[in-house]
Amino acid sequence: MPLSKRRRARIIRGAQYGVLVVAVVIFALAADWHQLRVAFFDVTVAKALFPDIITTALVNTVLYTLLGFGFGLALGLVLALMRLSSVPPYRWIAVTYIEFFRGIPALLVFIALGFGVPLAFEVALDMNVTVMLSLGLVGAAYMAETIRAGIQAVPKGQTEAARSLGMSHGRAMISIVIPQAFRIVLPPLTNELILLTKDSSLVYLLGLSLGQFELANFGRDALNEHKSLTPILIAGLLYLVITLPLGQLVRRLEARTAKAR
């Protein structure tokens, strides 16, 4: 007697659960729990990390991310407007910038600004300025395309209505179009903030003092000191403390945007 679709789906689902349970049991039996506890969950090492991992590493991670995001957002808006400009050279410059910085690793930007610029121009950039420029230059390339898509998603009738009220093109963009565009692109911009939070770990290339450590560098330094992976685990959990609420915010914004449509 052939199985009904519902019964077949139930059997397949049960088999998947069975495979998952077997995998968990095999891992539980094969793992050396004592070694895992010593390597990843050493309470003594974890206690030694606090409060510095919060007051220094977590605070610096948030600071570097906000600096890069703020600069990247401002530059991304300028690039988006240049990309939409009726003046061809502006569009060429914006496209070249976007394609260049989207095509190279953020690592190279950190190296260029951290070591190349001081050598070439004989200037010593402040560490926070270097981080802000490095993260911002890369983030701006992605944010420019996001903002451009948001501006193009605003109905043209909005601009025409503003112009019919006597507004100039620039005033209509600032007062009518750009605010609506930002409401549309808030979810992808929040995603970009999450990506910059993780990219802030590249700041280690600049050679930091102890007070400038962010989470990844703090965890790596503590790993070398304690010979335990517990600092890496704690640093990873603190990254999640930052990124999980942002991810939840993205989902809420996406749901609200979908509902508004």
Side-chain angles (χ1 to χ4, degrees), residues 189-200:
L189 284 181
T190 310
N191 271 327
E192 185 60 33
L193 181 60
I194 294 173
L195 293 175
L196 285 181
T197 301
K198 292 183 287 186
D199 281 347
S200 68

Side-chain angles (χ1 to χ4, degrees), residues 32-94:
D32 186 334
W33 290 99
H34 174 70
Q35 286 299 326
L36 281 176
R37 186 187 64 78
V38 171
F40 290 98
F41 308 104
D42 191 323
V43 177
T44 305
V45 173
K47 286 181 178 177
L49 302 177
F50 292 90
D52 291 346
I53 196 170
I54 299 291
T55 57
T56 300
L58 181 62
V59 169
N60 282 337
T61 298
V62 173
L63 174 65
Y64 298 152
T65 303
L66 291 180
L67 286 173
F69 184 78
F71 177 68
L73 185 63
L75 181 57
L77 175 59
V78 173
L79 289 168
L81 294 175
M82 290 174 66
R83 184 90 160 79
L84 295 170
S85 172
S86 58
V87 182
Y90 286 165
R91 294 201 305 273
W92 299 338
I93 293 170

